[in-house]
Amino acid sequence: MKNLVVRTISFCTFIGIILLSHSCERFENFLDKPPGVDVNEDTIFSNQTQIETFIATLYREGLHSTMAINDGNSPNPTAASLANGFFGHSGSANISSVGFSDEGQGVADWGDNRNFNKGLVNVTNIHWSDMRHIVRWYAIRRANVLLERIEDAPVPQNYKDQVKGEAYAIRAMNYFEMFKRYGGVPIIDKRLGTTDILDYPLGRRSIEDVVNFIVTDCDQAAALLPNSYPSNMRGRVTRGVALLIKAKTLLTAASPLFNTATPYLDLGEHNNLICYGNYEVSRWQKAADAAKAVLDWAAQGHASLITDKGADKNYKYVWETHDNPEILLANKFLTAGRARNAHPFTHILFPGGSAFPGTYGTTILFNFVRRYEKRDGTPQTWDMDGGNDLQQKYEELDYRFKQTVGYNQCYWNATLPVVNLYEGHGHYNNCWGGHWQRKFVPDAINNSSGNAIPHNYLYRLADAYLIYAEALNEAQGPIQAAQDAVNAIRNRSGQPNLPSNLTKEQFRERVRNERTIELAFENNRLWDATRWMTAESEIGGDMYGLRIKRVTTPSVHFTYEPYVPTQVGTRVFRRGMYLHCFLQAEVDKGYLVQNPGW
């Protein structure tokens, strides 16, 4: 009996509030309840209006974010903080995912990427690097309740099918986010009360089990969801979203981190929690097939790449224009009036200095900038000893560079029409990388207005093209279909086709770089580097910035000097960091096996 009690307490602690007994008091925390009216589960599922309120909270809990915004600023958010808006992006509480990779560095000294980048994350503080670790379980429980109760609700069958599809998709989405961070995790496919927990298998499940569970949820969602919604219902998951989650899951599963007989570190008899235990090329083909299903679906879902705004504008249109055809799903909880004051979004995006007082900014590292090709498709030639032709080099780069990075002498917006990033100028202060993050900052936003809402999208069609190209190359080599997919992304931004004579290994490196550039700052870079197992050398190691000087003779020009800023320095990515650890307090309770290296 003692063991049963300990087991119940342990699991409730790990999963959080979502696995507590399902009382009416629990729902009072999430739904607006008029004074004197009791809200219980029967009330919630009594009509479509109440169900929609329940679903709205499912989205609030279940959708992550590319923006560093939250209403709780805590690794253990309360129901009240969730109800105030939405909680949690994909990084930590107060820094974007950019700062957790070689893309950039948050300038604010309170940024939670600091410990991560120094290799100082551990079993007691890892939750600050994954602020949604509890919130995902809120969403999973809510999805399970919805799936259990919706068939008995007095609503039309087509509506029941739709919301079941939404529940499956959001559950899959949250399991995918855990899978890529932790490997095998517990699978909870029903809502649990206190008595259920005693007999339910609570331990971690194998990589194969978790992947199959996500894929099954995606398949069920895709069979039930509509291809699109009316314009007033944008922000809900569609069939295309379910298909893309499946493709992203299978791509991750096929990658070197998991698709191997030899795990990154040995976990003995539990290696199946961190890898398949064998390599199968067929896993790459499954990922390619899943991505192709997204591309085949696109016309039905009125989705397409943006190609008609000009090579120098297509990319910016994607990240700035809401609800454009390339976006499959966006988080809609950031509303007008909150954008400018949504701490810490503006603090980590607006460049510090006189133009935006009180902000910090995210400085973009030279490591990332060096990944941009010239417009003729050849590598840019940067002199690591320095040079005097900085502006010329910028002008030669892929058009996406200017649409992504705030660089010396660039236009920012009406508030900051010229960015001066040379020594001695205010915009240069704390800009250790020599560049600021520009992507996701609307032209119309300024230091006082919050009416310009950043485009907080989660899934877009371009990702499916790149998944298809990468997976197809690994399965069959750089065949024409793989080349066509990556070239479609390159061509719309003015970049030439990749050479047609690339080997499989050469094509792999080019597609990986294409993902890094095209999906920049969209919370992909860290997870790509971990699944490729390149993080030790790319996320770790020397992080470079640029010292920029303005020279006036014989004419005005700018010199550059690469250097390793002391504020960023040499980052540490320990081998154990390929998967996050679980909090030791939970491991000590006996139902979780800790990941290796912690």
Side-chain angles (χ1 to χ4, degrees):
M1 178 61 71
K2 180 179 178 180
N3 289 338
L4 292 179
V5 172
V6 170
R7 191 180 186 209
T8 303
I9 293 173
S10 300
F11 191 64
C12 286
T13 303
F14 172 65
I15 302 301
I17 298 175
I18 64 164
L19 295 180
L20 294 177
S21 61
H22 203 238
S23 64
C24 62
E25 287 80 12
R26 171 69 182 123
F27 279 99
E28 288 173 0
N29 288 326
F30 287 96
L31 302 179
D32 294 330
K33 180 174 78 72
V37 177
D38 289 330
V39 176
N40 57 34
E41 203 170 282
D42 290 336
T43 305
I44 293 163
F45 288 95
S46 65
N47 60 71
Q48 189 165 327
T49 300
Q50 291 279 9
I51 294 170
E52 282 292 290
T53 305
F54 185 86
I55 293 170
T57 306
L58 172 63
Y59 274 86
R60 185 178 297 124
E61 295 168 348
L63 265 59
H64 56 282
S65 167
T66 54
M67 306 296 174
I69 311 167
N70 69 76
D71 286 312
N73 200 31
S74 163
N76 298 294
T78 64
S81 71
L82 285 165
N84 285 338
F86 73 97
F87 181 90
H89 39 87
S90 303
S92 67
N94 49 27
I95 201 72
S96 73
S97 63
V98 175
F100 285 83
S101 74
D102 55 344
E103 291 173 326
Q105 170 85 14
V107 170
D109 58 10
W110 37 255
D112 294 322
N113 61 327
R114 298 299 182 92
N115 279 340
F116 186 88
N117 294 334
K118 294 176 181 178
L120 297 178
V121 286
N122 57 50
V123 295
T124 63
N125 66 19
I126 188 65
H127 52 301
W128 286 104
S129 296
D130 180 17
M131 290 295 292
R132 290 186 52 82
H133 74 294
I134 285 179
V135 185
R136 293 189 194 100
W137 292 109
Y138 283 94
I140 289 167
R141 177 178 174 86
R142 189 169 292 272
N144 289 340
V145 171
L146 185 61
L147 289 168
E148 182 177 317
R149 289 299 307 264
I150 191 62
E151 278 299 334
D152 294 329
V155 293
Q157 186 61 48
N158 63 340
Y159 178 73
K160 293 177 183 179
D161 290 343
Q162 174 197 309
V163 298
K164 285 170 64 177
E166 291 175 277
Y168 282 126
I170 292 175
R171 188 169 72 178
M173 183 190 308
N174 281 272
Y175 265 101
F176 169 65
E177 292 296 322
M178 290 192 289
F179 162 56
K180 70 185 184 184
R181 287 169 170 81
Y182 300 96
V185 293
I187 293 177
I188 311 299
D189 60 359
K190 58 180 285 186
R191 54 108 164 252
L192 301 180
T194 52
T195 56
D196 298 312
I197 293 174
L198 301 180
D199 301 316
Y200 201 84
L202 307 180
R204 297 177 64 183
R205 300 285 289 275
S206 70
I207 293 297
E208 185 170 14
D209 285 348
V210 172
V211 171
N212 289 343
F213 180 73
I214 298 170
V215 168
T216 298
D217 268 5
C218 290
D219 287 342
Q220 292 184 95
L224 294 168
L225 287 167
N227 291 317
S228 61
Y229 293 94
S231 59
N232 64 341
M233 295 178 68
R234 292 299 293 263
R236 299 182 82 143
V237 293
T238 62
R239 180 168 179 259
V241 172
L243 294 174
L244 185 53
I245 296 170
K246 177 180 177 178
K248 291 173 75 69
T249 300
L250 290 173
L251 178 77
T252 303
S255 297
L257 179 61
F258 297 117
N259 190 11
T260 179
T262 306
Y264 65 99
L265 286 173
D266 187 59
L267 198 55
E269 63 179 319
H270 300 295
N271 278 340
N272 67 342
L273 303 179
I274 59 175
C275 74
Y276 274 103
N278 67 337
Y279 172 82
E280 289 186 6
V281 70
S282 62
R283 294 188 181 114
W284 286 110
Q285 188 61 53
K286 288 178 181 178
D289 293 344
K292 184 61 162 56
V294 180
L295 302 181
D296 291 342
W297 160 86
Q300 302 171 56
H302 308 292
S304 60
L305 295 179
I306 300 300
T307 60
D308 61 346
K309 310 303 176 186
D312 60 340
K313 297 181 178 66
N314 284 327
Y315 187 69
K316 185 180 178 184
Y317 187 89
V318 171
W319 64 254
E320 187 170 49
T321 305
H322 292 253
D323 300 329
N324 68 75
E326 191 165 322
I327 304 305
L328 304 191
L329 181 67
N331 189 316
K332 296 290 189 177
F333 286 102
L334 186 61
T335 56
R338 293 187 60 227
R340 173 61 184 93
N341 298 314
H343 178 81
F345 164 68
T346 54
H347 291 272
I348 61 94
L349 273 187
F350 284 19
S354 57
F356 300 99
T359 63
Y360 296 87
T362 295
T363 184
I364 301 306
L365 297 170
F366 187 48
N367 297 54
F368 172 73
V369 170
R370 289 171 64 192
R371 293 183 174 277
Y372 283 95
E373 301 171 356
K374 293 196 290 188
R375 290 177 199 160
D376 64 4
T378 62
Q380 180 58 281
T381 54
W382 294 96
D383 190 337
M384 294 305 287
D385 292 324
N388 61 6
D389 56 348
L390 179 63
Q391 299 306 123
Q392 177 184 335
K393 289 192 179 299
Y394 286 155
E395 288 299 320
E396 294 171 349
L397 294 179
D398 181 336
Y399 283 119
R400 287 173 291 185
F401 168 74
K402 290 188 176 184
Q403 298 170 75
T404 304
V405 178
Y407 59 95
N408 185 52
Q409 302 294 284
C410 80
Y411 173 87
W412 187 270
N413 64 10
T415 302
L416 185 58
V418 179
V419 178
N420 294 303
L421 290 175
Y422 52 87
E423 289 185 349
H425 197 282
H427 302 161
Y428 178 83
N429 294 342
N430 296 324
C431 188
W432 311 309
H435 312 85
W436 290 115
Q437 180 173 341
R438 175 69 181 89
K439 185 175 176 180
F440 292 124
V441 179
D443 275 344
I445 204 165
N446 58 47
N447 203 42
S448 59
S449 171
N451 291 328
I453 305 170
H455 194 187
N456 189 12
Y457 58 81
L458 309 182
Y459 299 102
R460 64 182 175 105
L461 189 61
D463 196 0
Y465 279 84
L466 295 173
I467 292 171
Y468 187 54
E470 178 184 348
L472 203 55
N473 177 60
E474 297 296 338
Q476 302 182 41
I479 62 175
Q480 191 62 49
Q483 295 181 44
D484 291 345
V486 70
N487 288 336
I489 300 301
R490 292 172 59 81
N491 294 167
R492 65 95 168 260
S493 288
Q495 291 301 104
N497 290 347
L498 291 180
S500 59
N501 61 347
L502 295 177
T503 66
K504 178 179 181 178
E505 291 72 23
Q506 291 170 332
F507 190 86
R508 175 190 298 147
E509 293 307 310
R510 296 297 293 269
V511 171
R512 287 181 176 185
N513 197 69
E514 198 66 30
R515 281 189 65 86
T516 302
I517 296 303
E518 176 68 22
L519 304 179
F521 312 163
E522 296 180 21
N523 191 41
N524 281 283
R525 174 60 183 151
L526 174 62
W527 312 116
D528 279 344
T530 53
R531 69 180 177 85
W532 293 330
M533 296 198 68
T534 60
E536 289 163 280
S537 60
E538 295 181 342
I539 305 301
D542 288 341
M543 296 293 125
Y544 284 87
L546 287 185
R547 288 193 181 101
I548 302 172
K549 294 183 180 180
R550 183 175 184 267
V551 180
T552 58
T553 57
S555 59
V556 175
H557 62 281
F558 296 89
T559 66
Y560 69 92
E561 177 190 352
Y563 77 116
V564 178
T566 57
Q567 300 90 339
V568 183
T570 300
R571 290 183 177 172
V572 177
F573 191 96
R574 296 182 287 100
R575 193 147 183 94
M577 293 170 65
Y578 275 108
L579 288 178
H580 278 14
C581 61
F582 295 94
L583 285 170
Q584 191 62 39
E586 297 305 323
V587 175
D588 289 343
K589 293 169 184 174
Y591 64 93
L592 286 177
V593 175
Q594 183 62 280
N595 279 327
W598 297 96

